[in-house]
């Protein structure tokens, strides 16, 4: 599973950032064990460090992970007929990576054991790298200055760029990018959520206009 | 204490997001508009996370050419377009980033 290696910098970062934000090692590991959502974890750690409130962190989490609603919706026809244990298990493991690897499968091709194997591999890799990050973060101060945060940007750029194929998506990305920099410059607490929503809204409106014209 | 509340709250929210449409008894379906809006979730939200990382390292706006985050991001975009390979582009642009920081 070479793709689970791609979680390495993320896991290390999630672990070491948690320590740096004065979370206990148990809390840092708990985030990975209980939440298991890379982007949301890193943003939440950043917000906790910045002193954001519980509500705004949870709202950000909800929005940041709302793409899972889409994954759930498109996996519905293969997973919803399965017994409850499978639904809950695979639901918990349904990450961007698992979706990317199994979303092409139709009802015949879909293998619950394969999906479970892939999902668990990511889960275990993610938690091991988090643990490594916690250990390194506690023993090597200043790990966060190495620029591991670029790995987040690199991962997301690699995920976003292929999606940008039409005008509405370009507008969405441009608005989101501009707003996120502007709002962060103004040091708004909910800069990420607001700019993400602004971008989504811009893309959505543009899509409407675009379709009406053509 | 508050941290644990956040962790468990996040855990519940993320799981609900993932599970809700896998529940066979759920009769509701998202409207076409809601689906279109959510379709922009990946580019919209992920870009918003990248913005400050790339343009504001050390919490200050940096539009100089010697901002390694900005340069490496451009390299990453170029690599994705050129190679069409997500994993390779990620690894190469990260390698570029670390070389650049070491060199600058």
């Amino acid at each position: 599973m070479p793709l689970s290696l791609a979680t390495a910098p993320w896991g290390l970062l999630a672990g070491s950032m948690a320590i740096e934000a004065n979370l206990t090692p148990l809390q840092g590991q708990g985030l990975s064990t209980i939440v298991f959502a890379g982007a949301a974890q890193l943003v939440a750690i950043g917000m906790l460090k910045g002193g954001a409130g519980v509500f705004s962190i949870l709202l950000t989490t909800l929005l940041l992970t709302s793409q899972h609603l889409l994954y759930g919706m498109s996996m519905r026809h293969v997973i919803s007929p399965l017994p409850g244990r499978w639904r809950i298990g695979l639901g918990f493991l349904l990450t961007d990576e698992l979706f990317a690897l199994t979303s092409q499968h139709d009802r015949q091709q879909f293998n619950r054991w394969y999906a479970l194997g892939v999902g668990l591999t990511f889960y275990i890799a993610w938690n091991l790298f988090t643990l490594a990050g916690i250990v390194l973060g506690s023993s090597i101060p200043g790990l966060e200055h190495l620029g591991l945060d670029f790995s987040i940007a690199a991962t997301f750029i690699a995920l976003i760029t292929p999606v940008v194929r039409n005008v509405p998506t370009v507008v969405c990305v441009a608005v989101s990018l501009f707003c996120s920099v502007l709002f962060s410059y103004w040091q708004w607490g909910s800069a990420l959520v607001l700019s993400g929503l602004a971008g989504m809204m811009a893309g959505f409106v543009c899509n409407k206009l675009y379709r009406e014209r053509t | 204490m508050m941290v644990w509340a956040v962790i468990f709250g996040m855990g519940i929210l993320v799981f609900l997001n993932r599970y809700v449409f896998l529940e066979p008894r759920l009769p509701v379906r998202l409207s076409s508009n809601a689906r279109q809006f959510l379709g922009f979730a990946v580019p919209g939200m992920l870009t918003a996370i990248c913005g400050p990382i790339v343009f504001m390292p050390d919490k200050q706006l940096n539009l100089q050419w010697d901002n390694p985050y900005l340069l490496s991001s451009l390299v990453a975009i170029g690599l994705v377009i050129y190679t069409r390979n997500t994993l390779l582009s990620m690894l190469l642009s990260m390698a570029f980033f670390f070389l650049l920081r070491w060199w600058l």
Side-chain angles (χ1 to χ4, degrees):
Chain A
M1 279 292 126
L3 218 73
S4 60
L5 283 180
T7 63
W10 278 80
L12 288 173
L13 193 62
S16 56
M17 267 181 70
I19 295 301
E20 196 233 345
N22 290 324
L23 268 65
T24 66
L26 197 62
Q27 288 167 336
Q29 191 70 52
L31 268 172
S32 284
T33 314
I34 298 166
V35 184
F36 188 41
Q41 276 176 239
L42 293 177
V43 172
I45 292 170
M47 289 177 83
L48 277 172
K49 198 178 156 198
V54 177
F55 182 74
S56 59
I57 295 178
L58 291 183
L59 183 65
T60 310
T61 304
L62 190 64
L63 288 163
L64 267 180
T65 56
S66 69
Q67 83 267 22
H68 293 106
L69 285 173
L70 292 177
Y71 302 163
M73 208 160 12
S74 64
M75 300 295 282
R76 182 180 169 87
H77 67 289
V78 288
I79 297 184
S80 70
L82 298 177
R85 276 180 302 168
W86 281 94
R87 290 200 310 268
I88 290 172
L90 290 179
F92 180 74
L93 295 173
L94 185 58
T95 51
D96 305 78
E97 288 87 355
L98 181 62
F99 178 70
L101 288 174
T102 56
S103 60
Q104 316 298 333
H105 297 178
D106 59 25
R107 211 175 280 232
Q108 271 81 44
Q109 289 172 307
F110 183 78
N111 184 324
R112 57 181 86 172
W113 293 101
Y114 171 76
L116 185 70
V118 173
L120 279 179
T121 308
F122 280 120
Y123 187 69
I124 292 165
W126 178 243
N127 275 286
L128 286 179
F129 284 122
T130 307
L131 184 63
I134 290 172
V135 172
L136 286 173
S138 333
S139 51
I140 310 171
L143 194 69
E144 70 279 1
H145 296 305
L146 274 178
L148 279 173
D149 50 348
F150 180 72
S151 65
I152 308 176
T155 312
F156 285 174
I157 289 168
L159 289 172
I160 300 163
T161 311
V163 183
V164 184
R165 277 201 215 97
N166 48 36
V167 176
T169 318
V170 172
V171 172
C172 165
V173 167
V175 169
S176 172
L177 189 63
F178 180 77
C179 290
S180 68
V181 176
L182 187 69
F183 295 167
S184 309
Y185 187 70
W186 287 340
Q187 305 193 326
W188 286 7
S190 42
L192 295 184
V193 193
L194 290 176
S195 37
L197 280 177
M200 287 165 73
M201 205 62 222
F204 176 73
V205 170
C206 187
N207 195 26
K208 285 273 172 209
L209 296 173
Y210 204 63
R211 279 203 187 161
E212 271 166 26
R213 255 198 331 194
T214 48
Chain B
M1 202 57 237
M2 186 194 118
V3 176
W4 282 112
V6 168
I7 293 174
F8 280 102
M10 284 174 70
I12 292 167
L13 283 178
V14 172
F15 178 72
L16 284 180
N17 259 346
R18 285 172 175 159
Y19 182 75
V20 68
F21 282 103
L22 301 177
E23 171 57 53
R25 278 166 298 182
L26 182 86
V28 293
R29 294 190 61 82
L30 286 179
S31 72
S32 143
N33 274 343
R35 227 172 310 175
Q36 282 176 34
F37 182 69
L38 280 177
F40 289 100
V42 171
M45 295 307 303
L46 297 192
T47 305
I49 300 170
C50 286
I53 297 177
V54 172
F55 288 96
M56 302 178 65
D58 308 318
K59 313 282 172 217
Q60 302 209 317
L61 191 62
N62 184 347
L63 293 173
Q64 303 296 315
W65 280 107
D66 61 359
N67 173 358
Y69 288 85
L70 189 55
L71 268 179
S72 310
S73 302
L74 294 176
V75 168
I77 295 172
L79 279 169
V80 179
I81 295 172
Y82 182 70
T83 65
R84 300 256 145 221
N85 184 326
T86 307
L87 193 61
L88 185 72
S89 316
M90 260 176 57
L91 294 175
L92 285 179
S93 61
M94 276 157 66
F96 178 81
F97 173 80
F98 288 113
L99 279 176
L100 199 63
R101 281 198 33 140
W102 174 72
W103 184 61
L104 282 176

